[in-house]
């Protein structure tokens, strides 16, 4: 007896039902296009097959027709969704011809751009569920093309759905993110959306600590951490460096505000055992990874040697960490222009944490030789003056420090150099008092001179400092202090 939808108790006029049965029947045979004559296929499989042949024929003739497949015009949104889910299920068939047909029809539908925004969630959830069951690896590229086309048409919806599928560390979701890196423009939009979602930070009063894992900013954080080490996003991460950096720095401060610090200081890099990282540790490792994966190894090593990364493990030393990081970026000319642009935006933000990170970076960047190539002194003066009216005391103090810098007041260079020359005479005394304090003051003056340098006094300073490295007694004196 011929198996038909009517004899199975199904309405032959319900396309999605007969299609679902068609997926299971496998009315396919090897050969050209892996299809039987369309008359032998049930319900919408006939329609899909005919439409597929017609579309292929139009393409070969170079026809400019834009009408999509017939089933795209004859189904409701719900029926259309069920059709897609049935085809996704068909990708898991152990029949190679049926898999190829399902993949071909899926691509035909998505190329027609007939998908509605309200279908995105169900389609992606269906694909994610079927991915582990796909038997033929050659089908995967077509499945990922579907994700790429869906992401191109509905980027925001696609990103939000993928974020909600599972924890970012689940390797099963990574192919979906890789598919969204299918072209440069899409990859940039995706990464921009992710670091912007870091800003979705409800206050501590509005959330319960037990719900932290559900915060969208934490899901975005975990995803960014994974994508830093994903080859397909390497160039895009470099392009989005400034936005990601500001997002991570302010996110870490936010996590301190929530008091989610468990495990941040217990991390050991030389331990091979894989343990899930807490939110704070994930953020700090992402911050370190940002410099490592973009080949700014000098900045990474600079902080590593000075134990600067450890400053980010406590709120009390967090600002020192940001300052040291900005100083290293200036020294090695690391994305100064792009980060400065982001910092200017953050300084105008209503969020206090944004203002803090921004002013710390801007005041350190005043020591960059190229800064005036990117922004005028008048603009800097206006920005720093704006900070003087900030409610936060640190922002006001750092703004005042910036306004008194040698970049803003070049005449100070002569005064500081003269002061430096007088301090150097303290080294020639037989028993200098507070040698460490003297060196600390010298270091501060040198830092304030910045790109202006110390001029002729550099030789004199070298002559006075050399004995401290050669004289064992002097070395002991330094240790005792």
């Amino acid at each position: 007896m011929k198996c038909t939808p009517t004899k199975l108790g199904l309405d032959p006029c319900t396309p999605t039902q007969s299609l679902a049965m068609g997926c299971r029947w496998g009315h396919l045979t090897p050969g050209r296009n892996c299809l039987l004559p369309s008359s032998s296929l049930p319900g919408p499989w006939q329609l899909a097959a005919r439409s597929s042949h017609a579309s292929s024929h139009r393409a070969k003739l170079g026809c400019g027709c834009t009408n999509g497949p017939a089933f795209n015009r004859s189904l409701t949104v719900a029926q259309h969704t069920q059709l897609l889910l049935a085809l996704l299920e068909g990708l898991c068939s152990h029949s190679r011809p049926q898999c190829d047909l399902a993949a071909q029809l899926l691509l035909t539908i998505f190329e027609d751009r007939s998908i509605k925004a309200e279908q995105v969630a169900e389609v992606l959830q269906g694909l994610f569920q079927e991915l582990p069951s796909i038997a033929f690896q050659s089908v995967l590229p077509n499945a990922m093309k579907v994700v790429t086309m869906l992401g191109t048409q509905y980027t925001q919806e696609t990103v939000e759905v993928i974020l909600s599928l599972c924890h970012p560390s689940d390797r099963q979701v990574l192919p979906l993110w890789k598919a969204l890196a299918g072209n440069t423009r899409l990859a940039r939009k995706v990464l921009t959306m992710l670091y912007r979602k870091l800003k979705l930070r409800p206050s501590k009063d509005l959330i319960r600590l037990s719900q932290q894992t559900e915060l969208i900013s934490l899901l975005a954080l975990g995803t960014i951490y994974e994508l830093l080490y994903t080859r397909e996003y390497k160039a895009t991460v470099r392009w989005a460096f400034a936005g990601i950096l500001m997002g991570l720095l302010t996110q870490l401060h936010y996590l301190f505000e929530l008091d989610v610090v468990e495990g941040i200081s217990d991390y050991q890099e030389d331990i091979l055992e894989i343990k899930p990282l807490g939110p704070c540790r994930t953020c700090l490792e992402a911050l370190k990874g940002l410099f490592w994966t973009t080949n700014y190894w000098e900045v990474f090593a600079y902080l590593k040697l000075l134990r600067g990364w450890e400053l980010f493990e406590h709120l009390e030393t967090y600002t020192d960490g940001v300052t040291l990081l900005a100083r290293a970026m200036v020294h090695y000319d690391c994305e100064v222009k792009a980060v400065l642009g982001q910092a200017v935006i953050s300084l105008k933000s209503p969020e206090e944490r944004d203002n803090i990170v921004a002013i710390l970076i801007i005041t350190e960047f005043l020591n960059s030789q190229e800064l005036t190539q990117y922004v005028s002194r008048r603009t800097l003066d206006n920005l720093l003056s704006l900070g003087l009216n900030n409610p936060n005391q640190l922002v006001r103090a750092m703004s005042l420090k910036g306004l008194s810098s040698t970049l803003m007041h070049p005449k100070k260079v002569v005064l500081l150099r003269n002061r430096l020359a007088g301090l150097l005479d303290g080294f020639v005394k037989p028993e200098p008092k507070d040698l460490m304090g003297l060196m600390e003051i010298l270091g501060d003056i040198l830092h304030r001179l910045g790109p202006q340098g110390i001029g002729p006094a550099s030789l004199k300073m070298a002559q006075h400092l050399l004995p401290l490295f050669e004289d064992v007694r002097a070395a002991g004196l330094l240790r005792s202090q």
Side-chain angles (χ1 to χ4, degrees), residues 221-243:
L221 169 63
T223 302
I224 289 173
Y225 176 59
E226 296 295 331
L227 297 187
L228 288 176
Y229 297 93
T230 303
R231 178 176 53 84
E232 288 79 0
Y233 281 91
K234 186 176 179 63
T236 310
V237 168
R238 184 69 175 259
W239 172 83
F241 182 95

Side-chain angles (χ1 to χ4, degrees), residues 96 249 388 390:
R96 179 60 178 272
L249 287 173
L388 292 177
N390 195 283

